[in-house]
Amino acid sequence: MSASEYNSSSTHNFAPLKNDRLLRALRFEPIDTTPVWMMRQAGRYLPEYKATRAEAGDFMSLCKDTDRATEVTLQPLRRFDLDAAILFSDILTIPDAMGQGLYFETGEGPKFKHQVRTRSDIERLPALDVNDSLDYVMRAVTSIRKALNGQVPLFGFSGSPWTLATYMIEGGSSKDYRYTKDMLYNKPELLHLLLDKLAVAVTDYLDAQIVAGAQIVQIFDSWGGALAHRQFIDFSHTYNKRIIANLKVRHPDVPVVLFTKGGGLWLNTQADSEADALGLDWTMPLDRARQVLTESQRQLTKQHKKLQSSKAIQGNLDPATLYGSPETIRREVTLMLDNAYADGEKTGYVANLGHGITQWVDPEHAKVFVDAVHDYKL
């Protein structure tokens, strides 16, 4: 599907897409240079972001302010030659809409006023009408897409059911997932009940973002790597796979990227989904990832007796690399891209960091990263 055909499917009369390099790479079509974007590319490392957030008052007020959410989404595109924009929001909007009382404490990250730890807690969680309780997100998506005016495609996103569940059960971020894993091993039926509810909400949420104007969506399974291997299949992958399958029924031509931090060991498992691309952190070499996915495609084709689609990959530069000198950044980018294209395939790859850019990065170093990716000769 061409960029113009893709855009004509929208009901919002958006401008035709001028730069479809990233979409072409995800479809394994020829590209002129490697597409690149950065997770958390709108954030605290940019002085203009900090100024806009100060104007808004706090993080969630910024998310809910359509004009300011649009502004901070566009800020990194004014500085860097990026190949995608990503909706400015947070992965915890769904639990917040379910009444968990999301708030942020300086230096401590997100917290919830209410935890979900009993059957009655889970049963009280409402079924969401995402176009009502999360309408501010959809307004932002449409506003951003219009403001982009076809410059680059727009990512929508959500946290995965497992990742959202950990925050809801723990009451915030966690190092040991004490309460979540207690539920997992002692009352797994309760955790599945929660994950079922979240899977429905995530599906509807991403569907609504696509209708509002998102051209690609990404599922952030940020804490999937905290699971043991069998539990990863049962409590994370199964739900991600279900969400993607349902999205593909509703929007078969919209690419889905699945990113599991710490999930490199489970690429063969994640290959058994309809995700168009799998994101990688910095712990899995890209050439090895390509090999695993190629073999997985063969095995799944044999198992299902029909050809399985190839999976593009995304990532995987260590974000801390951007603390290094420009020479170090360029060297590491070259090594990463050498790995990405080691099998001779010159597409099917999107450059990115292995996790979000940190607040301590010099914006000029982020520019070195983006430019080094585009300067690499295919």
Side-chain angles (χ1 to χ4, degrees):
M1 179 181 291
S2 69
S4 60
E5 289 171 333
Y6 188 92
N7 281 272
S8 68
S9 65
S10 171
T11 60
H12 291 281
N13 195 30
F14 295 125
L17 186 58
K18 304 178 183 78
N19 175 357
D20 67 346
R21 185 181 292 138
L22 188 144
L23 296 176
R24 293 177 64 82
L26 293 179
R27 297 192 297 261
F28 284 81
E29 295 174 0
I31 50 175
D32 58 332
T33 191
T34 303
V36 58
W37 67 285
M38 294 181 292
M39 289 183 280
R40 211 181 291 144
Q41 63 190 26
R44 289 178 290 173
Y45 74 108
L46 294 177
E48 57 267 41
Y49 167 85
K50 288 187 280 191
T52 306
R53 176 169 171 170
E55 292 171 0
D58 59 63
F59 180 80
M60 286 307 296
S61 295
L62 177 55
C63 290
K64 294 179 180 182
D65 184 322
T66 302
D67 290 341
R68 288 193 172 102
T70 301
E71 165 61 19
V72 295
T73 300
L74 298 179
Q75 284 172 352
L77 277 80
R78 297 185 188 121
R79 281 183 175 261
F80 315 124
D81 187 18
L82 296 160
D83 293 297
I86 183 166
L87 161 71
F88 181 79
S89 188
D90 193 82
I91 65 169
L92 299 179
T93 50
I94 287 176
D96 185 47
M98 288 180 164
Q100 295 311 107
L102 176 66
Y103 68 100
F104 290 82
E105 287 194 355
T106 303
E108 295 188 29
K111 291 181 178 292
F112 287 114
K113 295 177 182 176
H114 311 291
Q115 292 80 47
V116 177
R117 294 179 182 169
T118 67
R119 179 176 291 276
S120 60
D121 290 339
I122 297 169
E123 290 175 345
R124 278 197 298 268
L125 293 171
L128 294 184
D129 178 349
V130 295
N131 285 305
D132 178 19
S133 56
L134 291 166
D135 63 321
Y136 67 90
V137 176
M138 311 319 154
R139 289 198 304 270
V141 169
T142 301
S143 172
I144 294 163
R145 178 78 186 273
K146 288 179 178 177
L148 284 169
N149 196 33
Q151 180 182 351
V152 292
L154 174 62
F155 270 90
F157 71 91
S158 174
S160 71
W162 161 255
T163 293
L164 298 182
T166 66
Y167 281 102
M168 295 171 74
I169 296 168
E170 301 296 330
S173 58
S174 177
K175 293 182 179 179
D176 56 12
Y177 307 95
R178 171 189 170 190
Y179 297 103
T180 311
K181 290 198 172 184
D182 180 277
M183 185 184 292
L184 186 156
Y185 288 110
N186 283 310
K187 297 179 180 178
E189 71 282 0
L190 292 189
L191 184 52
H192 282 301
L193 182 63
L194 175 57
L195 293 169
D196 277 326
K197 282 196 169 192
L198 289 171
V200 172
V202 169
T203 304
D204 290 346
Y205 186 46
L206 292 175
D207 170 48
Q209 289 182 41
I210 292 167
V211 172
Q215 293 152 289
I216 321 161
V217 292
Q218 177 159 311
I219 298 172
F220 284 87
D221 192 16
S222 303
W223 308 134
L227 286 160
H229 58 283
R230 284 182 291 273
Q231 284 68 34
F232 174 77
I233 295 172
D234 292 341
F235 294 92
S236 180
H237 174 67
T238 296
Y239 293 95
N240 292 336
K241 182 178 177 181
R242 181 192 306 173
I243 291 164
I244 297 166
N246 287 330
L247 286 174
K248 286 298 183 180
V249 170
R250 303 182 195 183
H251 306 282
D253 297 316
V254 176
V256 179
V257 180
L258 175 58
F259 170 64
T260 300
K261 186 171 180 286
L265 292 175
W266 299 314
L267 285 177
N268 57 338
T269 297
Q270 295 180 92
D272 189 19
S273 75
E274 295 180 60
D276 297 272
L278 298 176
L280 292 161
D281 63 19
W282 55 92
T283 61
M284 168 64 87
L286 295 178
D287 52 351
R288 175 62 180 151
R290 293 268 210 185
Q291 292 167 6
V292 170
L293 289 173
T294 297
E295 179 57 29
S296 297
Q297 182 188 17
R298 289 198 198 99
Q299 294 297 325
L300 289 167
T301 296
K302 184 177 179 180
Q303 176 184 337
H304 297 300
K305 295 183 170 53
K306 67 176 183 178
L307 181 64
Q308 299 297 296
S309 299
S310 298
K311 294 279 185 285
I313 54 176
Q314 177 180 277
N316 68 331
L317 193 73
D318 180 357
T321 307
L322 301 190
Y323 301 150
S325 67
E327 293 75 20
T328 297
I329 296 168
R330 283 190 284 266
R331 182 185 70 241
E332 292 299 316
V333 166
T334 298
L335 292 171
M336 178 178 74
L337 296 177
D338 285 346
N339 276 350
Y341 299 123
D343 63 354
E345 181 71 82
K346 297 301 183 184
T347 187
Y349 171 66
V350 174
N352 206 321
L353 305 176
H355 202 224
I357 188 170
T358 71
Q359 61 180 300
W360 303 283
V361 168
D362 181 339
E364 286 304 308
H365 286 204
K367 185 177 189 303
V368 171
F369 163 61
V370 172
D371 291 346
V373 171
H374 284 160
D375 289 345
Y376 183 90
K377 302 300 181 185
L378 293 177

